[in-house]
Amino acid sequence: GGDAVLRLRTPEGQLLPRQPALRGLAVDARSGNLPTPLLSYAHPTSLGVPVIPATDMRTEDFTLIARQWPAIAAAADRWSGTVIADLGRLQEDSSAGPVAAVSKIVVLIARATPEGLYHLRERASTLAARLGQGAHGRSPLTIAIVCPAREHTARVRDLRVHLAAEASTSTVPVAGWMAEDERS
């Protein structure tokens, strides 16, 4: 999903085809039974990871997708492979909630600024309650931050302090950090 897929290429170095994509998956999910496996909606990439792009979405398609997330989530949950889904700004009332609910891991990512960490803690608190305990007896929620590489130790420490300040987020694990790289 999202624009990240626009940076990917086929194994031959070409742009990814526009179809199939998420819109087609949602249309097929309307029947309540997806006729083909998820992989048939995906494109091979130069990274070796197949991707179902969401680049074919029009504004009016978001309502269609919102109604089909439960069926798409069920198909992803039944699939034997690993599904990595970019759910965008996952809020408590997000229509993509069914996908997050069947996930083994939900990673929230935020910038390591004071306002970014504050909003992250608020969202983590709400999502931790919504997601409940996962299959492993703990919340599937985990957090990663984006920060300059030279500041990562201090920023991860700041994140841990923010999370520890609330009982609802004090046990949410920190996955780590990603280097902020403006050039890429």
Side-chain angles (χ1 to χ4, degrees):
D3 289 344
V5 73
L6 299 174
R7 295 178 183 263
L8 295 177
R9 298 290 186 258
T10 66
E12 297 78 29
Q14 304 299 314
L15 294 173
L16 293 181
R18 292 181 51 84
Q19 299 298 327
L22 185 60
R23 185 173 186 272
L25 174 60
V27 167
D28 290 347
R30 278 195 300 203
S31 67
N33 216 353
L34 290 172
T36 55
L38 289 178
L39 202 51
S40 66
Y41 296 90
H43 301 281
T45 68
S46 57
L47 298 176
V49 177
V51 172
I52 301 173
T55 52
D56 63 340
M57 301 295 291
R58 300 180 307 244
T59 303
E60 60 270 17
D61 292 332
F62 288 103
T63 303
L64 165 70
I65 296 293
R67 288 192 304 259
Q68 302 316 315
W69 274 130
I72 293 169
D77 194 37
R78 286 190 307 268
W79 190 47
S80 62
T82 299
V83 176
I84 300 171
D86 178 351
L87 301 179
R89 293 183 184 269
L90 187 60
Q91 303 288 343
E92 180 182 13
D93 60 349
S94 170
S95 63
V99 176
V102 299
S103 298
K104 291 178 180 58
I105 298 174
V106 175
V107 181
L108 286 180
I109 301 172
R111 296 208 177 273
T113 62
E115 56 277 3
L117 293 177
Y118 175 82
H119 293 299
L120 177 71
R121 182 181 65 201
E122 295 303 309
R123 195 164 0 140
S125 178
T126 335
L127 285 172
R130 181 176 181 189
L131 295 172
Q133 298 301 306
H136 304 293
R138 63 166 179 75
S139 172
L141 190 62
T142 189
I143 296 177
I145 55 170
V146 178
C147 63
R150 66 186 174 283
E151 298 176 10
H152 78 275
T153 302
R155 298 297 74 86
V156 169
R157 186 174 40 247
D158 292 346
L159 171 60
R160 291 184 197 285
V161 167
H162 271 78
L163 294 174
E166 297 287 330
S168 60
T169 57
S170 62
T171 61
V172 174
V174 174
W177 62 280
M178 293 177 288
E180 184 174 51
D181 185 355
E182 293 294 324
R183 292 181 294 169
S184 67

